[in-house]
Amino acid sequence: MPEGSLPKEKTVVTRPYVQVEGIARRYGPTTVFENVWFGVNRGEFVCLVGHSGCGKTTILNILAGLDAPSEGVVLADGREIAGPSLQHAVIFQGHALVPWMTAEQNVAFALGSKHRDWPRHRLAEAARAALAKVGLEGAAGRKPSELSGGMKQRVGIARAFAITPKMMLMDEPFSALDALTRGALQEEVSRLVTEAGQTAFMITHDVDEAILLSDRILLMTNGPRARVAEVVVNTLPKPRVRATLHHQPGYHALRDHIMDFLITRSRTLAGAPPDGYDPRRPPEVII
Amino acid sequence: MQREVSAWRAALLSLVILALFLGGWELALQGAGQGGGPALDPEYAALLGQAAATGGQTPMPKPSEIGRRLFQLLSDPFYIRGPNDQGIGIQIAWSLGRVLLGFGIAALVAIPLGFVIGMSPLLNAALNPFIQVLRPVSPLAWMPLALFTIQDSSISAVFVIFICSIWPMLLNTAFGVSAVRREWLNVARTLEAGTWRTAFRVILPAAAPTILTGMRISIGIAWLVIVAAEMLVGGTGIGYWVWNQWNNLSIADICIAILMIGLVGLALDRLLGLAARAVAWNE
């Protein structure tokens, strides 16, 4: 490892890239979630797992700057997130490609937003290169309607990675896909994130997906008044491969822990934090 | 379930229906106007025109007569012999010119305004009562007001086209813009695409099919209205020509005018249909 990267490693320890500080979302008298605190370190992959209605998507939108919390702040790089930014790319649940542009044009549109001075041919070249990274060089000229669901989401992934953001935000990006395609795309994202040393935050329902991709898994209680109940540290060694993941020692214990949480504890813990629970420091669990 | 119909069979059936219709028309009039020829002095008849020639009765023309007249009119459509005697092509060109001018100005106003209304729920709510009250007003009700304020009959006709073709475009543009998918706007926002970039690269293409539908409705209305407007305004145009032929009691010419108005209207609609296909997208 080059020596120059050492000080950077130090900042990882001292201050996370993203600091979520006591955010809440209220609609009138209803509180969806409150007192949510967590951080995402540089180069770290954090998953947020919880049932529908606990405000997961709202939290992601707040991180993306598309939404604002009713209370609290989110800091990125020490500065408050006040709006959407090219530094934080989003991979949407639906692919969110515009249907009148080809795959290449969709990616080029993103690139053109970042590199305003690039001429058209340079944007096209870079877009094709980004598509090639997800194995879609042959489909650059096709419209989204001519692509399968998995290919569309690949384009969405290529678009997000093309602008080399500081953080990647993913809102259940694979939930609309069939199991086989989902598996392929999870490995694709895993590879791209590792290659780029990408900081990433992802929402998911899929426990295996969380275990495959994440370094830490935030478990949220059910709403209303949802909060981060605990943080599970994923100690399974990397690189993880989907095909062999379930043979790794520790996998089942980890999976069972999260499943138990989703099935019972997400409900029993809702609204009634245990004694000694500090929302600023949700208990860390290492299995 | 509807079965697939082959195009040539449908066309064949259309031709049969047309032949039956024209044949029936021709046969029904066979012998009707043959009451022993002109009862009056032919010179006097010629002086008074066709009406006198058949003893005050204007016979309904047979399709064959209309066909001959059509051929005659189309063989020299662009002649100009004084203000009251111009070729049918010239008249249609006048009408088309007015329609395109009024429609064009309406589009220039309606599309940007509709864009703003669609983007702003406040403006949408504030302007909606005005639009809803003005929209159902018959275009011809505007005519006296236009003639009084503008004082120029030709410009008044264009104004009437403008005022009647603006509403569908305005409403469709506003609706199309306000209905743009939230996720596409979010994509643009996360990419920090500016207002203009978002407007032209995301919102406009997304709303284009809806806008084109509005334009298509508008041009149809404009073409409907121009005939009536020109009957009132006079001077030139296919509407004026129809009125003129009515005064001349040349029913054949009126039938031809109806056919021409229909064909031009069809052509206008098809043109916008092609444009709509060019901007259509599907998911």
Side-chain angles (χ1 to χ4, degrees), chain A residues 84-86 109 113 116 145, chain B residues 184 189-190 192 197 202 205 282:
Chain A
S85 148
L86 277 161
F109 177 71
S113 300
R116 311 248 160 159
S145 57
Chain B
W184 297 338
R189 285 178 65 200
T190 57
E192 293 186 68
R197 193 168 158 84
V202 179
N282 57 341

Side-chain angles (χ1 to χ4, degrees), chain A residues 27 37 50 65 69 72 104 118 124 154 161 167 175 190 202 215 217 231 249-250 253 267 270 281 285:
Chain A
Y27 296 102
W37 298 71
E104 182 189 305
W118 281 16
R154 272 174 203 270
F161 277 95
M167 179 169 61
S175 60
S190 170
M202 174 161 157
D215 301 308
I217 302 166
V231 179
R267 186 160 34 82
R281 269 175 228 290
V285 179

Side-chain angles (χ1 to χ4, degrees), chain B residues 10 48 56 63 90 106 123 135 146 171 184 189 210 225 241 245 250-251 254 256 260:
Chain B
L48 283 187
I90 297 274
L123 263 182
R135 190 171 60 105
L171 289 171
W184 297 338
R189 285 178 65 200
T210 322
V225 165
W241 195 76
Q245 299 313 319
S250 31
I251 307 296
I254 293 173
I256 287 165
M260 285 299 158

Side-chain angles (χ1 to χ4, degrees), chain A residues 64-66 84-88 90 92 94 96-101 108-110 112-113 116 145 159 163, chain B residues 180 183-194 197-198 201-203 205-207 279-283:
Chain A
L66 292 168
S85 148
L86 277 161
Q87 305 297 347
H88 302 155
V90 184
F92 293 88
L97 303 178
V98 291
W100 55 88
M101 293 186 199
F109 177 71
S113 300
R116 311 248 160 159
S145 57
R159 176 173 64 183
I163 57 172
Chain B
V180 173
E183 40 168 36
W184 297 338
L185 295 177
N186 279 346
V187 168
R189 285 178 65 200
T190 57
L191 292 173
E192 293 186 68
R197 193 168 158 84
T198 306
R201 298 290 305 274
V202 179
I203 298 173
V279 300
W281 44 262
N282 57 341
E283 292 192 78

Side-chain angles (χ1 to χ4, degrees), chain A residues 163-176:
Chain A
I163 57 172
T164 54
K166 287 193 176 156
M167 179 169 61
M168 188 67 72
L169 300 165
M170 294 173 253
D171 183 4
E172 300 188 34
F174 314 122
S175 60

